[in-house]
Structures are given as structure tokens and as C-alpha cells.
Amino acid sequence: MRKFIIDTDTASDDAVALVMALQYPDIDVLAITTVAGNVPLKQGTQNALYTVELCGKDTPVYAGCAKPILRNLSTAENVHGNDGMGDIGLPLNGRIPADGHGVDILREVINANANDITLITLGPLTNVAVALLREPELAQKVSHCYIMGGIGSGHGNITPGAEFNVWVDPEAAKIVFESGMPITMVGWDISWKYATFNKAESDDIRQIGTPLAEFVVDIQATLDEYAKAESGLAGFDLPDPITVAIAIDPSIGEFKQYHVDVTTGDGLARGLTMVDILGATGKDAQISVCTSADRKKFIEQLKASVRA
Ligand code: BDR
Ligand code: CA
């Protein structure tokens, strides 16, 4: 079994990503840690707990940081719904997270599985950055870290140039990107290009007919409206799921090694991931940037995960 740990600000696309990892045959998700982002920490933790329960798993969910390192929290209920899960009436309360702080659990699980653990981040990088500040050597103990965040090329989704997860806590992102951890960045450009679902395509998944198939589509209700009205897409897109798909099967992506610099300023520069394609900075090309993805393979993996 391959060992994963997933850090998430669980909202509608994160939940699908969790389903894909939890349902995949040879993946053991040792822990899920939650972080504030799309929704406040408590809501995201409830959403993760509900998703784990729906999958019939007992994967522990630990709550982590409730706000970014230096900044106030900015959430995205306008994108994912007030409950983060499309406001379709799911009972997203009353479940109890496991004992322990997400940051401590990241450290414990990585240390206990040194060089044999894949870390996937689906939200702002606050938890991972705080863990690295406390214990910088963690960077060398993670076999690989797949980050849904940033922009590989093109436009942003929260400002003209920035992606939400990096923009929410850019200081955390900078700490993680410069930590020396082996990182693959799956930017939002990969999502809108290869993981957008129009009505016919989402119907095709929903008609598989299992509770999980209906769940992964129905919770995108708010995102679907937002994507059409604000992002110029044909329907909802799934950034976190395509990141998990690539972590599970790296042959889904194509990658190039570049230096990536995170801008921690304010205004329109906040949260930019500057990809140094021509090596202008002369700095170490420390990040593997996903440059394209195999949409067909991604959708096959997604469908397989909801058939059970
Ligand atoms: C990222 O931000 C959130 O809205 C999604 O869950 C995803 O992690 C996309 O920019
Ligand atoms: Ca997310």
C-alpha cells in the first residue's frame, strides 16, 4: 500500500479528491488534516468527516490551523456554498475530529513514515508551513509533495494572476516552496483546462447511480454556477481531484522543473507564483510544474472511485 497524508480546506472539490484517494485500491490515507481556507476550519473539518463517513472509512481527520500565518482568513463561500458543499442540505455537523492538532499530526505521521509518504495539499499551506518552521528536516522526509496551488501559466482565479490557495496564505506558500521538499505544483490552469465538466459530462458521472456518484456531482451546485458566471467555464472544474489523480498516477501529468517564486506582497502581486521558465533568476529549479494533463485518464480514475 502507498501511504498518503492529505491536508485540505474541505469544500466541494476537496471532497471529491478525498473520495478518489480513499476509494483507490492501493492507497492508504494515514491521516487527513484540515486547514482554514474555502470555509472556516470547523466547517471544513465537518465536511471532511462527512466525506470519510460516506466512503465507509475510518480515516482520522485532525483539525489544524484556523487562520493564515500573518493574514486574516479569506473564505470562498461564494464559490462553494455557505457550507462549502453546495448548500444541498447535507447533515454537516456533530461529527468529532480525532484528538491532536493537524500540525503535530503532520509531523508525527511524516516522521513515522520517513521517505515512504506522499503529502498532498489541497488548501492554503498554513499547516505544512508551520510544521516546517518547527521541524525543517521534515522537508527531506516526505517522498513527494503534490500541491494544488498556484498558476503554472495564464490567469488566476482570485486576482488576475493568483490562485486562491496560495493567495490566502502566501507566506505559508513561500515557506513550503523554499523548504527543499520535493514538490509538484498542480496549478489552477491545469484544472480549468483538463478538469472542467459541462452538464453532459457531469450527468455522465452522476448516472453511475451510486451514492458517491451523486454526491461528487451534487455538491458542486454552487461551484457550477460560479464557474459559468465568473470563471468563463462550461461548468464546474475540479482542481483538487485532478491533483490527487496525478499523485496517484503521475503518468496523468506532464511536468517541467522550474524555479517558482511566491510573491508575498499586497495588492495585485499578492500570491503570484512566478514560474521562471527561462531561468532568468538563476535560482535553483526547485519545483516540478505540471504543464498538461491527460483528461481521459483523470475522468476514468474519478469514475472508478465512485463505482463502489
Ligand atoms: C483551490 O481553491 C479552492 O477553491 C479549491 O478547493 C482548490 O483547492 C482552487 O483555486
Ligand atoms: Ca481545496
Side-chain angles (χ1 to χ4, degrees):
M1 296 286 274
R2 290 181 282 163
K3 298 172 190 168
F4 280 17
I5 181 164
I6 303 179
D7 189 74
T8 161
D9 57 336
T10 312
S12 61
D13 70 310
D14 302 67
V16 181
L18 292 179
V19 168
M20 292 178 73
L22 291 168
Q23 298 297 102
Y24 200 83
D26 84 323
I27 304 289
D28 190 3
V29 182
L30 300 181
I32 294 167
T33 54
T34 58
V35 66
N38 286 318
V39 286
L41 182 69
K42 281 191 178 156
Q43 182 69 58
T45 304
Q46 287 299 318
N47 297 348
L49 287 162
Y50 179 88
T51 305
V52 170
E53 192 178 297
L54 193 68
C55 290
K57 307 288 179 187
D58 55 8
T59 311
V61 176
Y62 302 89
C65 294
K67 70 176 282 296
I69 294 176
L70 292 178
R71 301 175 188 252
N72 293 328
L73 175 64
S74 301
T75 52
E77 286 89 350
N78 60 323
V79 180
H80 297 281
N82 289 324
D83 65 6
M85 301 280 266
D87 295 331
I88 59 169
L90 296 175
L92 301 167
N93 49 55
R95 292 175 182 80
I96 309 210
D99 285 339
H101 191 282
V103 171
D104 297 332
I105 298 303
L106 280 169
R107 291 180 54 213
E108 272 173 32
V109 172
I110 292 168
N111 275 310
N113 298 279
N115 304 313
D116 187 25
I117 182 109
T118 298
L119 169 64
I120 302 178
T121 73
L122 306 176
L125 287 154
T126 320
N127 286 341
V128 181
V130 174
L132 284 165
L133 287 175
R134 175 67 183 83
E135 193 177 344
E137 314 76 52
L138 282 183
Q140 280 74 49
K141 297 179 181 171
V142 170
S143 309
H144 205 84
C145 175
Y146 291 86
I147 292 178
M148 191 289 121
I151 301 289
S153 72
H155 60 285
N157 62 358
I158 182 78
T159 69
E163 178 279 331
F164 179 80
N165 289 337
V166 172
W167 181 87
V168 166
D169 196 345
E171 287 75 21
K174 194 171 184 70
I175 289 166
V176 175
F177 277 53
E178 294 183 1
S179 67
M181 199 182 271
I183 289 173
T184 291
M185 176 180 112
V186 181
W188 182 65
D189 48 310
I190 297 302
S191 179
W192 71 259
K193 287 178 192 161
Y194 304 104
T196 294
F197 293 78
N198 65 24
K199 173 97 172 67
E201 290 161 338
S202 60
D203 282 352
D204 187 45
I205 293 172
R206 199 180 188 286
Q207 63 81 30
I208 291 171
T210 60
L212 280 178
E214 292 173 7
F215 172 73
V216 300
V217 172
D218 292 349
I219 59 173
Q220 312 307 332
T222 313
L223 178 59
D224 194 56
E225 293 303 317
Y226 180 89
K228 288 180 202 155
E230 306 293 336
S231 308
L233 302 177
F236 63 79
D237 68 305
L238 297 178
D240 295 342
I242 198 164
T243 303
V244 161
I246 287 167
I248 289 175
D249 177 5
S251 80
I252 290 177
E254 285 189 313
F255 311 92
K256 286 197 176 128
Q257 199 73 25
Y258 292 123
H259 181 74
V260 179
D261 189 274
V262 179
T263 306
T264 53
D266 288 310
L268 286 180
R270 172 178 170 177
L272 297 183
T273 44
M274 283 201 219
V275 180
D276 187 3
I277 292 173
L278 298 181
T281 62
K283 290 186 179 168
D284 178 36
Q286 90 281 34
I287 305 284
S288 167
V289 177
C290 183
T291 53
S292 68
D294 185 329
R295 173 177 172 78
K296 197 162 164 268
K297 274 185 166 176
F298 161 57
I299 293 177
E300 273 165 21
Q301 200 192 106
L302 170 57
K303 284 182 167 174
S305 75
V306 299
R307 279 202 188 98

